[in-house]
Amino acid sequence: MTSTASLHSVTHNGRRTDHEAAAANPFTVQGLTVAYHQKPVLWNVSFSAPVGCLTAIIGPNGAGKSTFLKAALGLIPKLSGETSVFGAPIKKQLARIAYVPQRSSVDWDFPATALDVVTMGLYGRIGWLRWPGKRHRAAAMQSLAAVGMQAFAQRQIGQLSGGQQQRIFLARALAQDADVYLMDEPFAGVDAATEKAIVDVLHQLVVSGKTVLVVHHDLETVRDYFSHVFLLNGQPIASGAVEDAFTPQNLQKAYGGRLASTQLQGLAAAAPHKA
Amino acid sequence: MHAFWQAITLQAGYNTALVCVGAAILGASAGAIGVFVLLRKRTLVSDAVSHATLPGVALAFIVGQLLFEAGRSLPLLLTGAAISAALGVLAVDAIKNHTRLNEDTAIGTVLSTFFALGMVLLTVIQSLQVSGQAGLEGFLLGATSGMLFSEAVLIAVAAGIIGAALLLRMKEFTLLCFDEQFAATSGYNVKALDRTLLILLVGIVVIGLKTVGLVLIVALAIIPPVAARFWTDRVPVLTAIAAGIGATGGYIGAAISASAPDMPTGGVIVLVLFTLFVISMLIAPARGVLAAALRHRRFQKVVHLRQGLLSLAHNEPVLEPLTARLLRRNGLLRGDGRPTPEGASLAHKTAQDQLLWNAYKQQAPEEALLMKDWSLRPIQEVLPPDVVKSLQDDLSLDSAPSANTLRSPL
């Protein structure tokens, strides 16, 4: 399952140094198990995000996709499991992580402007007892511009549309300037143009060497947007490049009877030429 | 009236002046902390905290009386109050975390139990027939009349320290209140931040017991931020206004109470705060009731004007009286019901804008439904440029009417 990641870390003389191994594993989860009220949601899930790739986490409703991200980040209690980021425990590497929660997880009537929220992405770097200055506001404006929202900087966040709010969340993550981006359903309830804008930003991130992991539920767009997939249904089903892992057999395993066979054929037919 | 004037201008003696200033600092700090308690949606916790202080006050009095024969020492009583308030908060958290009961239920249980215990202990103290117990009732409703100079200094200094501590961590508290998950993944210790906020709240409640009383101290943390919320949509401004309202309420309330010693200080302060709340609710420009009514009126005009212009664009007669009046008043419609040249031109542009809005609604029905500006303002003012561009491309319009040419005449 981690073959994609390890391919890149073999040096010319065939030996891997610890440093290189760490650089090749931006986000690795080992044996993650989570239960809500004695009901296991995730069972012994291990996964390593392919470095510098755009990966979709897919699976049916209730498969634990969001739970996987939250538990891996330590936001909710887990029964077992470890997360490492570039070879070190995640707790020490949070500066290299940017997390985009679901849009519905916050109260948008909060007294803040779009710029205020994006500036929150810089708080970790501003430090204690200091206030965001001109430099920070300029950096936040740049992130806003990257998602086409600079004209809305002074707007109260409650007055923004759902798609605009999602762009603000993405801009906040961009302001963090992390190496690994973890996003929970960034396309939920957004308009087509926003979806395209977000995908463009994600591709730019990957081009500049970042690793991006996205909880996604629209199977139709997986092939268009992502290079890698991680199929999850409580347990890991498959992971790898889209052409290898996004197969009718694996989808059948993950979704069971929930996908009609015609749908499976359709998704498989979209497959590009195979070797 | 004369006595009140003297008190409010700080001329009614050094002691009274200090009590007034102390109450103002107390009100400012409580209001500022209240902002974050409100934004964290934990206003009810402050009620649990205040009621949970009573058994601590009573026990501290008994212990002080037994050990030093000086039960009324304010620092001792406040220490007892702080300890039992902290136990109350821990009890609420324990019930919330280890059972399936929600926070409201936990607060209700803890609040009434601690208060009941406190009342029983107070009755026990009364039966002991010891001296100095008369002052204890002041902790229920607040009394500044018999306050010692040292007590007033203690309250002013402690409230000032708590307010300053809040200001130092304001940025982090804001993040905690808006998006706890993001705060955690940004490397902040969310639990510690939450606890710090609670400690500050417990601190200000305990400090305020003597002045406002435990029944009403919660109002000092709730009313100022709620009133301030009518005025602004920014956290730093909100904190400043809440502190200002709290300070005004504390100062005027203490001055009134000083000039009429029979009045309970807590009650007077809360009534002053409530007055400020009502004023804010009515006249605040950002979210006040009057401003909302005016905005609604303007909104109505925008809708009528827009619909009138669309009727003109489709060569339909404008029959609705308000619409026709608005169009005429803006020089868009002639007396005979035909559009003026400006009216025709603006109607055309509005129709083009409406095409884009309709296309957007087809493309993103859910978004459009939730959007409050849908089709009421030029589309460029509402949607990001790339969205507008893709809509234009889809409709193959050369360019949408620019925001300038489509300025609503209102």
Side-chain angles (χ1 to χ4, degrees):
Chain A
M1 245 169 47
T2 56
S3 59
T4 3
S6 50
L7 272 180
H8 303 277
S9 58
V10 179
T11 55
H12 45 273
N13 59 6
R15 262 188 32 227
R16 284 168 51 176
T17 64
D18 283 353
H19 181 73
E20 283 156 343
N25 288 300
F27 185 79
T28 304
V29 177
Q30 287 285 331
L32 184 65
T33 300
V34 177
Y36 287 138
H37 300 307
Q38 269 100 54
K39 179 185 171 293
V41 180
L42 293 173
W43 191 259
N44 197 15
V45 178
S46 296
F47 169 74
S48 189
V51 63
C53 293
L54 183 50
T55 304
I57 305 176
I58 54 176
N61 286 333
K65 306 184 290 283
S66 299
T67 306
F68 171 74
L69 279 192
K70 285 185 198 163
L73 283 163
L75 293 175
I76 53 174
K78 58 195 172 201
L79 293 174
S80 67
E82 299 299 328
T83 308
S84 64
V85 171
F86 295 108
I90 187 165
K91 276 217 149 71
K92 294 185 176 153
Q93 296 275 51
L94 286 172
R96 303 182 73 174
I97 294 268
Y99 171 58
V100 180
Q102 283 186 18
R103 182 164 54 85
S104 56
S105 66
V106 304
D107 175 7
W108 289 91
D109 192 38
F110 195 85
T113 63
L115 187 63
D116 290 339
V117 172
V118 176
T119 311
M120 288 178 189
L122 299 162
Y123 279 10
R125 259 178 286 159
I126 297 173
W128 275 56
L129 313 183
R130 305 268 312 272
W131 289 91
K134 240 193 190 126
R135 194 161 48 92
H136 301 113
R137 271 195 298 277
M141 279 306 282
Q142 243 177 6
S143 302
L144 272 174
V147 298
M149 288 290 291
Q150 66 272 52
F152 299 83
Q154 298 305 330
R155 200 70 78 81
Q156 203 271 326
I157 51 172
Q159 294 172 1
L160 300 172
S161 71
Q164 292 170 337
Q165 290 172 348
Q166 191 66 57
R167 288 177 191 228
I168 296 300
F169 260 16
L170 181 58
R172 182 177 66 174
L174 293 178
Q176 287 181 285
D177 193 21
D179 295 313
V180 182
Y181 286 79
L182 308 169
M183 310 199 182
D184 200 347
E185 302 255 12
F187 304 119
V190 307
D191 53 283
T194 295
E195 183 158 329
K196 188 177 168 302
I198 294 177
V199 169
D200 286 347
V201 171
L202 299 188
H203 283 143
Q204 281 164 27
L205 284 173
V206 169
V207 166
S208 59
K210 317 282 187 181
T211 299
V212 186
L213 198 54
V214 178
V215 171
H216 190 59
H217 69 200
D218 183 8
L219 294 178
E220 310 274 335
T221 52
V222 169
R223 281 183 191 284
D224 297 335
Y225 295 169
F226 299 94
S227 64
H228 290 68
V229 287
F230 172 36
L231 275 104
L232 181 70
N233 189 1
Q235 289 166 294
I237 306 292
S239 87
V242 167
E243 54 266 32
D244 301 328
F246 194 66
T247 61
Q249 293 85 347
N250 285 338
L251 284 170
Q252 187 69 47
K253 261 199 254 173
Y255 286 81
R258 277 183 265 194
L259 281 184
S261 56
T262 47
Q263 256 177 308
L264 283 174
Q265 294 308 318
L267 291 166
H273 54 284
K274 271 193 180 176
Chain B
M1 196 62 218
H2 179 67
F4 171 67
W5 187 248
Q6 278 199 324
I8 205 148
T9 52
L10 300 176
Q11 283 160 2
Y14 196 48
N15 222 9
T16 308
L18 193 66
V19 167
C20 290
V21 171
I25 298 176
L26 173 74
S29 290
I33 288 168
V35 166
F36 296 93
V37 178
L38 174 77
L39 293 177
R40 191 97 176 98
K41 302 191 192 306
R42 299 197 78 183
T43 34
L44 275 179
V45 171
S46 45
D47 216 10
V49 168
S50 62
H51 283 78
T53 56
L54 190 56
V57 170
L59 277 175
F61 179 82
I62 295 173
V63 169
Q65 200 67 34
L66 289 178
L67 293 182
F68 321 110
E69 302 232 332
R72 260 196 71 190
S73 142
L74 189 62
L76 181 69
L77 293 180
L78 295 190
T79 308
I83 292 171
S84 81
L87 286 177
V89 174
L90 290 178
V92 169
D93 277 354
I95 294 176
K96 192 179 71 176
N97 293 337
H98 296 293
T99 71
R100 289 202 187 186
L101 298 175
N102 60 20
E103 190 170 79
D104 290 2
T105 321
I107 287 171
T109 314
V110 169
L111 179 153
S112 46
T113 310
F114 273 71
F115 192 62
L117 179 62
M119 290 309 285
V120 169
L121 287 171
L122 277 189
T123 316
V124 170
I125 292 171
Q126 269 169 9
S127 71
L128 290 178
Q129 305 268 328
V130 293
S131 61
Q133 54 169 274
L136 283 186
E137 267 123 55
F139 280 89
L140 284 177
L141 293 171
T144 50
S145 51
M147 198 182 275
L148 299 174
F149 177 73
S150 62
E151 293 177 341
V153 171
L154 174 72
I155 289 169
V157 170
I161 290 172
I162 288 174
L166 178 85
L167 286 183
L168 292 178
R169 313 259 25 213
M170 199 160 122
K171 181 161 55 77
E172 288 76 16
F173 286 144
T174 308
L175 189 55
L176 172 78
C177 294
F178 175 60
D179 193 343
E180 186 184 330
Q181 294 182 340
F182 185 80
T185 57
S186 305
Y188 289 103
N189 186 339
V190 167
K191 260 196 188 139
L193 272 178
D194 215 15
R195 217 169 293 141
T196 312
L197 187 59
L198 271 177
I199 289 172
L200 293 180
L201 178 68
V202 168
I204 206 72
V205 164
V206 167
I207 301 291
L209 281 183
K210 180 82 180 169
T211 314
V212 190
L214 67 86
V215 179
L216 293 174
I217 179 75
V218 57
L220 237 65
I222 293 180
I223 299 181
V226 174
R229 191 70 185 87
F230 287 114
W231 295 91
T232 178
D233 275 325
R234 306 290 303 277
V235 173
V237 187
L238 184 64
T239 312
I241 296 178
I245 290 176
T248 312
Y251 186 76
I252 297 179
I256 293 177
S257 163
S259 52
D262 290 342
M263 289 223 233
T265 318
V268 174
I269 290 178
V270 172
L271 288 180
V272 173
L273 287 177
F274 178 72
T275 311
L276 295 173
F277 167 81
V278 171
I279 294 171
S280 303
M281 184 175 74
L282 289 178
I283 67 163
R287 293 159 72 105
V289 173
L290 280 179
L294 285 176
R295 260 198 303 275
H296 177 76
R297 180 93 185 117
R298 215 168 55 215
F299 173 79
Q300 196 181 15
K301 284 186 185 168
V302 169
V303 172
H304 276 268
L305 201 58
R306 176 111 187 167
Q307 288 175 347
L309 284 169
L310 288 175
S311 300
L312 291 181
H314 299 133
N315 288 321
E316 291 158 7
V318 178
L319 301 173
E320 216 279 325
L322 174 61
T323 313
R325 208 164 62 232
L326 281 170
L327 286 172
R328 269 192 212 105
R329 199 189 299 156
N330 288 295
L332 303 171
L333 191 70
R334 294 195 316 218
D336 61 356
R338 308 282 309 155
T340 62
E342 301 92 80
S345 144
L346 192 58
H348 175 70
K349 283 169 188 154
T350 310
Q352 294 239 316
D353 188 57
Q354 189 65 36
L355 279 179
L356 289 172
W357 274 120
N358 289 342
Y360 178 70
K361 191 173 195 178
Q362 267 191 346
Q363 201 180 85
E366 287 174 38
E367 282 266 292
L369 256 181
L370 292 172
M371 188 175 289
K372 56 180 233 177
D373 284 322
W374 183 81
S375 98
L376 291 177
R377 292 199 295 151
I379 195 162
Q380 293 92 335
E381 288 181 14
V382 185
L383 296 176
D386 52 328
V387 178
V388 179
K389 182 80 175 60
S390 83
L391 289 170
Q392 284 165 359
D393 292 346
D394 290 351
L395 289 175
S396 58
L397 291 178
D398 306 337
S399 68
S402 78
N404 285 337
T405 53
L406 194 63
R407 178 67 28 90
S408 138
L410 284 179

